Amino acid sequence: FFPRYLPLVLARLPAGWQALAAPLTTGQVWLALAVVTAAAFAAAWWADRRPASGAAVWLLLLIQAAVLLNAIWHLVIAVVLFGGYAPGLVTALLLNLPFSVYLLARAARERWTDRRAFWALAPGAILLHGPLLAVLVLATERI
């Protein structure tokens, strides 16, 4: 699991990033993972209860787009920081990447949401996987 590899990951970050990420603890990462997982289950529950809700479907697609971005991020980190392998890479490439591509392609083909909302998934995923996730991890410091 990733939190176990946190010290290794932190040691491989560029110096400027280390200063930002150094205060992170494995407890914070576990808590952030728990919150993200609970949020995904809540969104799935909402979509299951209200299948006609465009907002619920879009939120689920947004989460999957962020998972796709995370899979790509694992590949980049593996190549750039670790020289070939990083924790989570196998899962990202064998599970998250193909399922995300399949689901998002199907959603586009079957028009689960309108074209404008579908294309809003890309900037939404960047926002969710980047600044919002960082804020969540930093907020866990206060808990």
Side-chain angles (χ1 to χ4, degrees), residues 43-132:
W45 180 83
W46 178 29
D48 181 58
R49 296 287 180 236
R50 304 268 188 256
S53 170
V57 170
W58 189 84
L59 182 58
L60 282 176
L61 292 175
L62 175 63
I63 291 168
Q64 198 62 51
V67 169
L68 173 62
L69 179 59
N70 184 265
I72 294 166
W73 182 250
H74 273 80
L75 179 60
V76 169
I77 292 301
V79 171
V80 173
L81 292 183
F82 288 88
Y85 178 78
L89 181 64
V90 172
T91 303
L93 295 181
L94 295 181
L95 183 66
N96 295 342
L97 182 67
F99 181 76
S100 297
V101 169
Y102 161 76
L103 184 77
L104 293 170
R106 182 175 172 187
R109 186 175 54 255
E110 295 177 8
R111 299 202 171 142
W112 293 2
T113 188
D114 66 60
R115 182 177 224 122
R116 178 183 253 173
F118 186 82
W119 286 108
L121 292 171
I126 292 168
L127 183 66
L128 186 62
H129 188 265
L132 292 177

